[in-house]
């Protein structure tokens, strides 16, 4: 079976944009590929987080992904810093990467602009660490959002260069795996294009029913349909996007007809969306609460995931050491 590796930055709580975008696709992937997921806590060191936050944010994100349906029996989930083998590969790969090309990576340039007082070497070699994450499992596929494409290009470069330098065909070049056919882009309900943390318009999987309802009822609308069968403005289309995702086709059709004959009342539409959204989120939230209250279980899942990952990384490293000329 082909191998998929994906790393997740432990940044805050999952919102609907994450869920209907990447997370649900991850869940679908576990049945078709040999997947490994990990929480990229080393990568987060570039901003020097507090020690007490490190473990907490890993547990938070682990609880949320498990609640969404990631199944450690199908796909191991581990915490990056538990698999120290990665660092050795990172060192070898760094020897083949050049300052100029690392400096040209857009995410590096952006970060350097955002945190001019903290342009550390970890930030510069972020793509090499990411390459080590992937290549240590000799993965074939990596799910990518647009922002990760250049990092993936660097990972392929690492693989190619290693193979060329040592005259081997050892590392497969990991390919980008796009979810675009299954992932849904969730709009913001405040009139902005997308739901996102930096936009401050998120509905979180941890939100309780009342909070979700309040956020939906506050959604930006207009004066209502003016002419039969007219095109919907973006803010209204956003509501219909939600309806399409969380409600039944019949319900969608009902409100679509109401729009078309100009009898739609936005209050009714929002109430429907809120109720159907609550029905989707509430069971996930309950599972998040269950996992969050069971830190021992979380730690055990992460420990078991790390064991599998370590074994996979060690097998790769042994080969790499042999190829480079080190004792195994
Ligand atoms: P992050 O935390 O932004 O996203 C987590 C993972 O989800 C993928 N992804 C998507 N893939 C397909 N379609 C989408 N719409 C979509 N949205 C998000 C991301 O590409 C990522 O794989 N730098 C990485 C973390 C990382 C990593 C790695 C990822 C570190 N090492 C090794 C993959 C492999 C990041 O910021 O991902």
């Amino acid at each position: 079976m082909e191998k998929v590796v994906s790393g997740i930055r432990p940044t805050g709580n999952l919102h609907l944009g994450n869920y209907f975008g990447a997370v649900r696709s991850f869940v679908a992937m576990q049945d078709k590929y040999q997947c490994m997921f990990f929480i990229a806590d080393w990568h987060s060191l570039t901003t020097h987080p507090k020690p007490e936050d490190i473990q907490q944010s890993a547990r938070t994100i682990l609880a949320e992904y498990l609640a969404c349906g990631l199944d450690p029996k199908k796909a191991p989930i581990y915490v990056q810093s538990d698999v120290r083998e990665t660092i050795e590969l990172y060192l070898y790969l760094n020897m083949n990467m050049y300052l100029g090309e690392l400096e040209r990576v857009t995410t590096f340039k952006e970060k350097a602009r955002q945190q001019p007082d903290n342009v550390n070497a970890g930030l510069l070699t972020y793509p090499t660490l990411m390459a080590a994450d992937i290549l240590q499992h000799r993965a074939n596929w990596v799910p990518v959002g647009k922002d990760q494409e250049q990092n993936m290009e660097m990972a392929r470069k690492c693989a190619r260069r290693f193979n060329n330098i040592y005259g081997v065909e050892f590392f497969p070049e990991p390919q980008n795996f796009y979810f675009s056919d299954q992932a849904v882009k969730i709009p913001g309900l405040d009139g902005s294009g997308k739901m996102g943390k930096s936009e401050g318009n998120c509905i979180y999987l941890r939100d309780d029913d009342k909070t979700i309802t309040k956020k939906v009822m506050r959604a930006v609308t207009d004066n209502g349909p003016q002419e039969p069968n007219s095109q919907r403005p973006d803010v209204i289309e956003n509501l219909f996007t939600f309806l399409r995702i969380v409600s039944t086709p019949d319900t969608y059709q009902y409100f679509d007809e109401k729009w078309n004959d100009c009898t739609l009342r936005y209050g009714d539409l929002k109430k429907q969306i809120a109720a159907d959204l609550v029905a989707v989120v509430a069971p996930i939230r309950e599972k998040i609460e269950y996992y969050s209250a069971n830190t021992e279980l979380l730690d055990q899942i992460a420990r078991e995931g790390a064991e599998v990952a370590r074994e996979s990384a060690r097998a790769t490293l042994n080969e790499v050491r042999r190829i480079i000329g080190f004792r195994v």
Side-chain angles (χ1 to χ4, degrees):
M1 215 191 306
E2 288 192 298
K3 285 190 196 162
V4 173
V5 167
S6 188
I8 300 147
R9 274 172 308 150
T11 50
N13 301 112
L14 291 180
H15 53 77
L16 290 179
N18 303 130
Y19 179 68
F20 288 106
V23 183
R24 245 184 11 167
S25 305
F26 286 160
V27 173
M29 279 177 119
Q30 343 173 72
D31 293 316
K32 296 197 202 109
Y33 298 90
Q34 193 184 327
C35 293
M36 266 206 226
F37 299 104
F38 69 92
I39 296 164
D41 60 348
W42 269 330
H43 282 285
S44 71
L45 287 184
T46 53
T47 54
H48 306 155
K50 290 199 209 87
E52 58 270 29
D53 290 340
I54 292 223
Q55 198 173 38
Q56 191 47 43
S57 40
R59 282 189 183 138
T60 300
I61 205 75
L62 183 57
E64 299 198 357
Y65 272 82
L66 291 169
C68 290
L70 282 200
D71 179 354
K73 288 198 195 71
K74 294 181 189 162
I77 308 173
Y78 65 97
V79 179
Q80 188 183 32
S81 60
D82 284 340
V83 182
R84 301 178 200 193
E85 282 76 1
T86 319
I87 293 299
E88 189 176 338
L89 184 57
Y90 169 60
L91 177 109
Y92 300 145
L93 297 176
N94 264 332
M95 300 301 167
N96 308 334
M97 299 309 280
Y98 296 94
L99 181 61
E101 63 190 352
L102 289 167
E103 278 176 334
R104 277 196 298 277
V105 173
T106 318
T107 40
F108 171 73
K109 286 196 280 192
E110 246 166 53
K111 289 276 175 197
R113 213 174 310 126
Q114 282 166 11
Q115 47 185 73
D117 300 330
N118 181 23
V119 188
N120 57 64
L123 213 49
L124 182 72
T125 56
Y126 186 114
T128 325
L129 181 54
M130 192 161 150
D133 293 328
I134 299 165
L135 300 183
Q136 67 181 345
H137 303 304
R138 301 172 77 191
N140 308 97
W141 296 101
V142 179
V144 281
K146 263 252 158 288
D147 56 331
Q148 298 300 317
E149 282 176 354
Q150 211 179 4
N151 284 336
M152 284 304 298
E153 203 45 67
M154 297 299 271
R156 283 190 286 275
K157 215 177 247 186
C158 282
R160 244 185 341 257
R161 229 170 252 172
F162 183 91
N163 290 345
N164 285 341
I165 290 174
Y166 296 102
V168 290
E169 278 300 317
F170 183 64
F171 286 121
E173 285 185 31
Q175 303 302 311
N176 300 1
F177 189 102
Y178 293 101
F179 295 141
S180 43
D181 48 337
Q182 321 156 31
V184 187
K185 192 168 150 221
I186 299 293
L189 287 175
D190 55 353
S192 74
K194 71 168 216 204
M195 185 176 287
K197 232 173 82 185
S198 41
E199 282 77 7
N201 59 3
C202 294
I203 297 177
Y204 290 98
L205 297 178
R206 277 182 194 255
D207 282 348
D208 60 29
D209 297 355
K210 240 167 99 184
T211 308
I212 294 173
T213 308
K214 217 160 65 194
K215 287 181 178 176
V216 174
M217 297 310 287
R218 270 206 311 253
V220 174
T221 50
D222 61 5
N223 298 332
Q226 307 294 319
E227 277 173 41
N229 302 314
S230 57
Q231 201 189 342
R232 286 190 278 265
D234 286 349
V235 283
I236 307 305
E237 193 52 41
N238 287 349
L239 286 173
F240 275 83
T241 300
F242 269 87
L243 199 60
R244 194 162 46 240
I245 295 165
V246 296
S247 306
T248 64
D250 285 352
T251 309
Y252 182 89
Q253 199 185 342
Y254 171 81
F255 283 101
D256 192 36
E257 280 165 15
K258 289 252 168 214
W259 166 268
N260 283 329
D261 64 18
C262 300
T263 56
L264 178 61
R265 292 206 325 235
Y266 290 141
D268 296 340
L269 173 63
K270 288 178 180 177
K271 266 189 220 146
Q272 180 77 47
I273 293 172
D276 293 341
L277 197 51
V278 162
V280 171
V281 175
I284 300 176
R285 184 185 59 235
E286 281 159 24
K287 286 190 200 131
I288 295 177
E289 283 160 6
Y290 165 76
Y291 282 113
S292 299
N294 273 285
T295 46
E296 265 172 41
L297 174 61
L298 287 179
D299 292 351
Q300 188 194 334
I301 290 171
R303 240 188 340 263
E304 286 170 7
E307 264 166 44
V308 180
R310 226 176 280 135
E311 199 173 307
S312 154
R314 216 173 280 148
T316 305
L317 257 188
N318 282 344
E319 278 304 298
V320 166
R321 289 181 66 100
R322 199 184 51 73
I323 292 168
I324 296 179
F326 291 128
R327 252 199 305 276
V328 174

